[in-house]
């Protein structure tokens, strides 16, 4: 007989791991299913300075603390790349991980988001040969060199500041003349002598030199002028899209692909909850992911107590 968990959580970022802690402490049998490393986006974040209780903590350290906490509470951890979720006739959620399936009475979708692509010539060809979406992973390759950061949000500005500590020069290319990032990050970036800004500009293409990235071709949106910035590296931070392809059949997403939930993190489908960056909401942070995870687990617990006991 296949084991049927009380709760299966897809994704072990801060939302999923917090849900696991709350569910395990409520005596639910719970498994976190993760295709990468526990921690989600925190794994690739150098320093986190806005998570309550920690003036500063590295992303990998906070990831490990949350993971150890979830395991100590009794949550199971399983490797799996969830490809599909279907609901059996008796209401059991069948989670298809390709080579194996996991069964659960309830699920929490906590799959977060993925980096958006620019979709310009040279981007895919030079990916891993100068173009990256992770400064913490790849920044060290560009020590003493020149890099371009594309975007104007928290990610672009924060990662540009991190890169400025390693490289000779960072050029931030932004499509407007005003940043979207938090003021505290803006202040730091403007004060950093290694960071230069190119405003009102979009990337036309990434140009190759000797098999690697050599330059970023940009266009000024106001004048139409085309120019090139010499660069050994380019980091693309133009926003994120929700990871919801595996739950398409459930019909719980909005037009942008985010999961629709109510105040209890419940989707329109019975026994299906969601938490963290993947839900439709205003503020995507570690602290809000953790909040959603706790509420979703509590709602799953109440759903089981009310309907399935
Ligand atoms: P995620 O952290 O994205 O975790 C989702 C998990 O689900 C991932 O581990 C993923 O592998 C897994 N997953 C996805 N699909 C599947 C699947 N099909 N099968 C199995 N597993 C799957 N927030 C702050 O508060 N402070 C910061 O300083 C900060 N810095 C940031 C820096 C950067 C560069 C970025 C991009 C984000 C930053 N954030 C920061 C935002 C913060 O990281 C997110 O809000 C938070 O991680 C969201 O948590 P989550 O659990 O919802 O999703
Ligand atoms: P974001 O806030 O959506 O910002 C994306 C940036 O890229 C914007 O400046 C946007 O320009 C620009 N952009 C979008 N599409 C573009 C395109 N096709 N070409 C050129 N530029 C484009 O994304 P993010 O910065 O990755 O942040 C995502 C979430 O994570 C946010 O909720 C953020 O607060 C959170 N986060 C938090 C921290 C932190 O707390 N320290 C750090 C990183 C991320 P416009 O401004 O013109 O729209």
């Amino acid at each position: 007989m296949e084991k049927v968990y009380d709760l299966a959580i897809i994704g072990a970022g801060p939302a999923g791991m917090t849900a696991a802690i709350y569910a395990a402490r409520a005596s639910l049998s719970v498994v976190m299913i993760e295709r990468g490393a526990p921690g989600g986006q925190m794994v690739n974040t150098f320093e986190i300075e806005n998570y309550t209780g920690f003036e500063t903590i590295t992303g990998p350290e906070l990831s490990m603390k949350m993971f150890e906490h979830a395991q100590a509470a009794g949550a199971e951890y399983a490797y799996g790349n969830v490809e599909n979720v279907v609901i059996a006739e008796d209401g059991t959620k069948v989670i298809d991980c390709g080579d194996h399936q996991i069964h659960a009475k309830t699920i929490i979708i906590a799959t977060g988001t993925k980096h958006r692509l620019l979709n310009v010539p040279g981007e895919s060809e030079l990916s891993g040969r100068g173009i990256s979406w992770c400064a913490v992973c790849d920044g060290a390759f560009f020590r003493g060199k020149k890099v371009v950061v594309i975007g104007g949000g928290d990610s672009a500005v924060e990662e540009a500041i991190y890169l400025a500590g390693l490289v000779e020069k960072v050029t931030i290319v932004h499509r407007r003349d005003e940043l979207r990032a938090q003021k505290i990050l803006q202040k730091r970036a403007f004060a950093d002598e290694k960071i230069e800004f190119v405003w009102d500009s979009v990337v036309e293409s990434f140009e190759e030199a000797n098999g690697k990235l050599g330059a970023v071709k940009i266009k000024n949106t106001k004048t139409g002028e085309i120019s090139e910035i010499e660069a050994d590296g380019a980091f693309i931070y133009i926003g994120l899209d929700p990871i919801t392809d595996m739950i398409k059949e459930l019909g719980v997403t909005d037009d942008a692909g985010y999961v629709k939930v109510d105040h209890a993190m419940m989707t329109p489908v019975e026994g299906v909850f969601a938490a963290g960056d993947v839900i439709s909401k205003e503020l995507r942070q570690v602290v809000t992911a953790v909040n959603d995870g706790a509420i979703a687990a509590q709602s799953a617990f109440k759903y089981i107590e009310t309907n399935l006991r």
Side-chain angles (χ1 to χ4, degrees), residues 10-16 33-37 39-42 44-45 47-50 80-83 110-113 115 155 158-159 237 240 243 246 275-278 284-287 289:
I10 310 174
I33 310 165
E34 171 59 57
R35 67 179 175 191
Q41 288 178 41
M42 296 192 302
N44 298 328
T45 302
E47 271 181 341
I48 294 172
E49 297 180 337
N50 52 4
N81 180 19
V82 177
E83 292 175 1
T111 44
T113 52
H115 293 296
S155 296
E158 191 167 70
E159 300 312 301
Y237 290 110
L240 306 159
I243 304 176
M246 81 300 289
D277 278 11
V278 77
R284 294 191 169 81
Q285 299 273 289
V286 174
V287 77

Side-chain angles (χ1 to χ4, degrees), residues 91-115:
T92 302
K93 282 72 188 166
V94 182
I95 301 149
D96 184 2
C97 300
D99 53 357
H100 65 287
Q101 291 184 333
I102 291 172
H103 296 74
K105 294 175 188 166
T106 60
I107 57 167
I108 295 176
I109 303 150
T111 44
T113 52
K114 58 178 184 285
H115 293 296

